[in-house]
Amino acid sequence: MEGLWLVVLVIFVMALSVQSQLKTGFYSTSCSKAEATVRSTVESYFKKDPTIAAGLLRLHFHDCFVQGCDGSILIAGPSAERNALPNLGLRGFEVIDDAKSRIEALCPGVVSCADILALAARDAVDLSDGPSWSVPTGRRDGRVSLSSQASNLPSPLDTVAAQKQKFSDKGLDDHDLVTLVGAHTIGQTHCQFIRYRLYNFTTTGNADPTINQSFLPQLQALCPKNGDGTKPVPLDKDSQTDFDASFFKNVRDGNGVLESDQRLWDDAATRDVVKKYAGTIRGLLGLRFDIEFMQAMVKMSSIEVKTGTDGEIRKVCSKFN
């Protein structure tokens, strides 16, 4: 009898673990046009503004790092996650809302906002000449969104040790960290987040010595000492709208824009990964980064997901049902 209970228990645990897994093509019968609808929506915004791609990628990343990949970043409200300080520059909410309303017209109450966001991030990379991958779906939307929980998000001021810890807390290793930061190949920041590196690093009145001396005047011209703090600055000086490996060459050469990016060169473990992606054989390094980025994205987009009967399927992405 005891043996029978053990078998039942094992089957029950296996069923639970299967239930908690995402799978590709989750909506193939329940809403067959879901993925194509997300794609066409993202494409329509991308054609008007290619920089929206980086916005969507960052939105998904910030969602997954708080409460897991559950669409909690999409909730609007004074105490909601999106109003936390690290999230104030996020953009792309209207793309997700638009895709959701189009999908609701086809299959009401079926496709989660969390899945729409994961799919939109993939499509954003693909449209930017990056790789495309099969996104495992089946996430459900969370019912909690609090700005107070966003304090563990990676910051441009983080040391490598702090970055490693924040990624490790989410089950991501040092290799995943460098690979995912490679998303900055299509990213941008604002002058207010880098000005201290250009004029008064560690309150010395000098620039950060790790900035390449030929790159410093370019950054200072973009961000004058008392200029507009909201002015955008590309994180990849060579190809801002192309998803490629040039970001890693910039870090290698002292042309990282954010302090946290440039610090990846200071640490032996992260430097090895940067070196691998910044290699000299153009085709090989691009291919390697593309493949490993896809793998890291699937891993990241599975963080603490809600599946089965957890959470809900929101009718509108910006508010709980």
Side-chain angles (χ1 to χ4, degrees), residues 38-229:
V38 174
R39 168 73 187 208
S40 62
T41 308
V42 173
E43 204 163 355
S44 65
Y45 283 86
F46 180 84
K47 281 176 178 166
K48 289 179 277 190
D49 175 15
T51 68
I52 197 65
L56 291 167
L57 193 49
R58 188 166 175 240
L59 201 53
H60 180 42
F61 181 88
H62 279 233
D63 181 40
C64 292
F65 261 70
V66 185
Q67 287 278 339
C69 313
D70 68 346
S72 53
I73 192 67
L74 304 170
I75 293 294
S79 61
E81 214 174 286
R82 71 159 89 173
N83 284 316
L85 197 60
N87 290 331
L88 294 182
L90 291 179
R91 49 198 288 259
F93 294 101
E94 72 287 357
V95 184
I96 306 303
D97 289 340
D98 192 357
K100 174 65 171 172
S101 61
R102 293 184 197 191
I103 288 173
E104 283 296 298
L106 297 169
C107 335
V110 173
V111 182
S112 70
C113 298
D115 275 343
I116 292 171
L117 185 48
L119 292 164
R122 183 269 312 272
D123 295 334
V125 172
D126 183 33
L127 287 164
S128 305
D129 295 327
S132 183
W133 59 95
S134 297
V135 175
T137 41
R139 295 166 194 77
R140 304 214 356 134
D141 297 320
R143 293 193 179 102
V144 176
S145 180
L146 295 168
S147 57
S148 57
Q149 294 183 344
S151 56
N152 66 336
L153 278 163
S155 151
L157 305 176
D158 281 345
T159 62
V160 176
Q163 293 181 70
K164 284 179 166 186
Q165 187 61 54
K166 287 176 179 181
F167 277 72
S168 172
D169 289 345
K170 299 297 172 189
L172 300 168
D173 59 28
D174 297 353
H175 194 281
D176 298 321
L177 158 63
V178 180
T179 307
L180 290 166
V181 169
H184 287 171
T185 177
I186 55 169
Q188 56 182 27
T189 186
H190 296 100
C191 286
Q192 62 200 12
F193 298 114
I194 63 165
R195 193 179 277 135
Y196 73 97
R197 290 190 74 204
L198 310 182
Y199 301 103
N200 194 22
F201 187 65
T202 59
T203 64
T204 55
N206 300 314
D208 181 342
T210 63
I211 301 175
N212 186 313
Q213 284 306 294
S214 62
F215 185 43
L216 180 60
Q218 295 177 44
L219 285 175
Q220 288 174 329
L222 270 173
C223 299
K225 202 167 190 174
N226 300 308
D228 178 5

Side-chain angles (χ1 to χ4, degrees), residues 295-316:
Q295 294 165 343
M297 281 297 288
V298 170
K299 190 173 172 183
M300 185 199 79
S301 66
S302 307
I303 294 173
E304 298 161 28
V305 291
K306 294 161 182 67
T307 57
T309 53
D310 272 0
E312 63 184 20
I313 304 294
R314 278 181 222 145
K315 295 181 179 72
V316 177

